[in-house]
Each structure stands twice: as structure tokens, then as C-alpha cells.
Amino acid sequence: MTTDLTTSAPATGPPTLDEVALLAGVSRATVSRVVNESPKVSPEARVAVQAAIAQLRYVPNRMARSLVTRRTDTIALVLSEPNSQVFSDPFFASIVHGVSAALAETELTLVLLTARDAREQQKIARYARQGHVDGVVLMSLHSEDLLPDILTEAGVPLVLCGRPYDGRSVAYVDADNQGGARVATEHLIGLGRSRVAVLTGPMDMIAGVDRHAGWVAATTDAGRRPDPALVAHGDFTEAGGEAAMARLLDQAPDLDAVFVASDPMAVGALRALRAAGRRVPEDVAVVGFDDADVALTSDPPLTTVAQPLDVMTTELVELLGRQIDGRAEPAESRTCPTRLVRRASA
Amino acid sequence: MTTDLTTSAPATGPPTLDEVALLAGVSRATVSRVVNESPKVSPEARVAVQAAIAQLRYVPNRMARSLVTRRTDTIALVLSEPNSQVFSDPFFASIVHGVSAALAETELTLVLLTARDAREQQKIARYARQGHVDGVVLMSLHSEDLLPDILTEAGVPLVLCGRPYDGRSVAYVDADNQGGARVATEHLIGLGRSRVAVLTGPMDMIAGVDRHAGWVAATTDAGRRPDPALVAHGDFTEAGGEAAMARLLDQAPDLDAVFVASDPMAVGALRALRAAGRRVPEDVAVVGFDDADVALTSDPPLTTVAQPLDVMTTELVELLGRQIDGRAEPAESRTCPTRLVRRASA
DNA sequence: GAAATTCGTGGGAGCGCTTCCACGAGCCCT
DNA sequence: AGGGCTCGTGGAAGCGCTCCCACGAATTTC
């Protein structure tokens, strides 16, 4: 009795391929060809099918399609980070923006997933393993994140946004954090500053480690000793930057320059500096990192290290696409050059 | 030749139900029952199946399941907003946090989707119509957003976060914006301030309109005329708030209080006030809206109108769940009461 | 002790789609 | 003119899963 449904469907639920085929007077296969833009369809058939599709307001059922094609045309951008205020980080917003822009030209859809704890990480891992997405871009991982391992082991195409903490073999795209930090520090030294401090990010994030390492390298190269009193750790937030700057001022009252590992932190540092009565850049020169919007609107505007976000996000989806299509070298990665943007703060 | 794959599967690709059934020595149906926690399975069978699942590291294919159940156990949180820096708005971050927390207890997964322009809105509409999600929570809609209509018309369960601009009949959850603004303004008037200004949000957003309306109501009720010089429009951002406050100071130099329609804007306003040499709260009393984190860390800490975000997000998923299960009254909605939080700024 | 239940189980029919394959019609080449 | 072609097409076999239905065995009931 369910059989004649195909011949006299009273439009129960959304229309199906068969109903379109019936209306257009062709076979299911032909409709499928039209939908998938196969060239092997006669113009007449195509027109008839398109008309039927329009009339029925037909939308293909992606689940059914995925079941056979093994593709979902969806990729996930996973933010694995316990601290939920990371959303407010302009760097994160820029990445989301860039990735979705890079995807705009394609048929791919971007879904954002957040994992604040191990439980949510598992949930996301399950989601990915169950075949909801073709691939994953993973952001902001701290040292012990489970996701890279789970996903890799499950065979889910994966590209990290940021170099993995341990040298595990996973594809990634990153800015040249160490190089950028080095150039920033060298710039400060070149300005004639003698006590160049650093305000780092969290040291369980590779970006924090690398930017710190760049400062150490530049300092050492200049024949100076990396004085621990010139180092303070922040958490990439504005409030954290303000607090860390205050500490730094305490540890090393004689500092005359500071490289800050992110622009939000630099804005906080600017505030702490002002509160302490130091003028920027006269008394203390400041260089930030990220070239976020705030770097332009801060007072004074920040000299900062710009990451080529558009290049990075393009590479990100490019690399992931290659993995999905199965034509990627193992753990192919990219490190993108940074650029010093000079403004008023240094 | 593909037929005996079922009997001698060499584990091509991820394991399937059949392979588990084979290994456990039961039928496909029984495995399905175990996976779906049906009670009608003997303990022995259950144990055998569970062992097989573990051994094969079996994960059910969600696409196949969805195809028959018509459920995806996924709901989308759609941010329809051209301005990409909305991400930085703490209110948005809080909603995301709240919704995913409300979902944590369930088997539902939350995906975030962003639509910056009409094209992306279409893409999202297609995504939803194609059956990728069971329902949609839609955020931050400006006056002419296509999504509510498309989604409603496509029969996708939908709840708006924020009252729709025109009185269209769609389910929504919103804070009592007008009531909150009224209380804030009354508080300012009650403090003995005679020139109470308002710094609104964008007037093409209902939250902007409602909060402005609350100020007008309180002002009128106090027997005062809502002076246009006491009104300035911001865009819910800190920078916008700073600029708007400066304008306000220009239009009405004699103001002695201001109700600001969002905390980020209030922080900007605080800065403009300081730049203009006005003391807060002595010269100008300030009340914000949202009770965001910044309200606590600002100088001085902000008196602000708190929205019951946890209640709102719980209602949001509750209402959506009801729609998905088909047991919701048409366009069932909620308006949640706000609360004035007194701090130092007013 | 026979009939009526319950219970766990397996068979099988689909969900809506893609895609391989075969088939007939029209075409060109020598 | 006949054996190749290509080309558009429809038939049919699944993709991995759920769930209805029927079946036999174990249990209950009068």
C-alpha cells in the first residue's frame, strides 16, 4: 500500500526526488542529474525538471545525500577553550570572519562549535566522528587538549589554527609568532630603549611561548641578558594585560619599553601605564601583537605586529580542503610571515 | 559480489551496525535496540553487543539515523548581523554560553551559524531547510531580516532571541527591555537628577527601540518633557558609546545623569565623561544595561540593569524543544523581568 | 493441560538520495 | 549500408539505520 504513494503522493512532508520526477515526467536519476548539475542531461529535460523543482519548492534532503556520498559539505570551526570570554577576543572574531569569507565562494557551510571542558570536547568528537562534518579547523588549544588526538585517530580531516604545543604531527597554519615577536623587540631596542620588557600570553599556549621566545632571542642577540624581572604573564585579555603591566612596573620600575603579546593586553597595559603616570611612548614605548581594531582606536594608537589573517584563513581552508579530497601530504603545514605596523606607541 | 561483504567485511571504512551484529552474533535490530537503549533486550545480548561495539569502536552513522528518524539532535544558534564585531559583545557571548549550558544536559548539539548578508542568510536558510538541524534560535535581528520569514515558512522550528521588530507572530524570548529602562531612568530621577539623558542603541533593533521607550515613559511619568537634546544614538559598542556621549555632552552640557542602553557603550561613555572632566557619579550619574562583566571592572563600577540570562536561555531551549516535539502553542513567547543592580556609578 | 499472554528476537521494508549499468536512438566513418 | 560511436535516459542496487511485524519459546491463567 505504500507503493502507490509514489504514483499519487499527496505531498506528505517535504517533496522528494520522486515527486519531482513524476511531475517532470522523467526518472529519479535524471532529476538527480539536474540537481547535481551533471552535463549529461538534455536541455528539455533540464527545463522540465527545473520547473517541477520550482513548483514543488523542492529542497534535496542532505541526510539522504550524505548517506551515499559520504560528504556533508560542512566544516566545523572548533573553539576549544575553557574560558568563555575568548569570544570577545578580536583575534578569534577575525578568524571566524576570515574562514567564513574564504568559504563564501564555495558550497561549504561553516559551523562553530565550542568546547569548554573535557565533556564538551567528547561531545564534539562524537559529533565529528558521526559524520556531521567533512573536516575540522581547531582553534586555541592549550597544552593538553584531547581533540587533536581523538580527531586524528578517528580519521577526521583536521587543521589546527596555531602550531601544536608538542611537536605532534598534525597539519596546522600559524603566524610566525616568534619572528614577529623578535622584530617587535628589535624595533624597541633599535629605538634606543635599554630596558625592554615583555608581557607574554599564557605559557600553556604555543602562541604565548613563541612570542616570549622571540623576545628572548632578540634580547640575547642584542647582547643583553633576558632579565626575569622584565617578564610578566598575561592571559590575552585586556584586564589581564592591565594587571600584568602593573606587576611589571613593580618588578622593574626602570623599564622604558615593553613588547605586549596581544593588542587587547596592550590596551590594558596602556591603561596601567597611564595610571602609573608614564607617558607612551616618551617614557615607555609599547608594541602590541595582532593589529586588532583596538590598536587603531587606542590612545596612543598602537605600534603592533600584524598577522596576515586573510592569508592564514585562506590557507586554513585550502589545506583542509586538500585533506578532505584526499590529496594532501601528511601533516602539511604553513607558517605565515608577520609584519610590523608602526603607529604612535613606539 | 558486494553481497558477501556483509558476511566477511574486512573493515572497509568505519564499522557498521551489521558488522557489530555479526561479531555479537545477533541481528541488526538487536544492536539497534542496544544502541538506542531500548529495554526489550536480554542482558546477555546487551553485554555481547556492548562488547562488540567496544571492540569495533563502533559509532552510529548519524546521517543514516536521521534519514529515518527525521531528527538530527542538533540545533542552530544563528547570529544574523552584518557587523562582525558583534562577536565581541559580551551579551552575545553570554547567550552562547547560556544556551550551550542549557543544552549540556541533553544529547543535543549546538552549532553556531553567522549570517553577515542576505547571501549568507540564504545559505543558512538552505542549511536549515535541508534538515541539518531540528530547530533554530535566531539572534540580534535588525528590522528587515529575511530569516524569520523563510524559516517559518519552511516549517523549521524557530525561537527568536529578542522580540521581533514588527509584531509578527513568531515565538520569542526577550528581557523586559522597556521595563528595565524605565526602572533605570526612574532610579536616576529618584536620585534627584533633573536632566536625565539617554544613550540608546540602534533604532532598527527592537532592544534599542524598547530601551528608548522606557526612558521616554519614565521621563513623561515624572512630568518632564522628553527633550530631544537629551537623546543620542549609539550602536551598542564601546567606541560608539564614547562618541555618542561626546555628542550628548555637546547637545546638552547641563545633563546630570544618563541612562546608557548597554554596558559596553556605558564604558565608552564613562571614558568620554572623564575626558570632558565630569566626575561620575558626582557630576553625572550613569546607569548601564546588561550587567556585563565590564560593569564590574569599570571605573567606577556601573549601576546597571541585569537581564536574567540564565532564565532566558533556559526558556529559549525549552520553547524550542516544545516546538520540535510538536507540543507548542503557536508563537508561544516569554518576556523576562529585569533587575536594577546598584553599584557606584549612580 | 490447553489457551492466552508476554518477551526477546530476526526478517524485511523502507527513509531519499546517488550512481553503475544497460539500453535504444541518433550520429559518423570507411 | 553496416559496425562502430557518443548521448541521454531509466532501472535498480545500495548507503546505514530504524521500526513494524511476525515468530517461537517461556511464562502465566482458568
Side-chain angles (χ1 to χ4, degrees), chain A residues 31-47:
Chain A
V31 177
S32 177
R33 287 187 194 102
V34 172
V35 171
N36 295 299
E37 293 174 320
S38 155
K40 337 164 95 333
V41 183
S42 68
E44 308 85 69
R46 169 166 289 113
V47 169

Side-chain angles (χ1 to χ4, degrees), chain A residues 311-333:
Chain A
V311 175
M312 289 168 65
T313 51
T314 306
E315 288 285 358
L316 226 31
V317 329
E318 160 81 15
L319 241 48
L320 189 57
R322 295 256 280 283
Q323 272 192 53
I324 292 172
D325 296 345
R327 50 182 176 77
E329 278 81 283
E332 213 181 333
S333 297

Side-chain angles (χ1 to χ4, degrees), chain A residues 2 16-17 32 36 58 60-61 64-65:
Chain A
T2 37
T16 71
L17 246 202
S32 177
N36 295 299
Y58 168 74
N61 179 325
R65 187 208 295 258

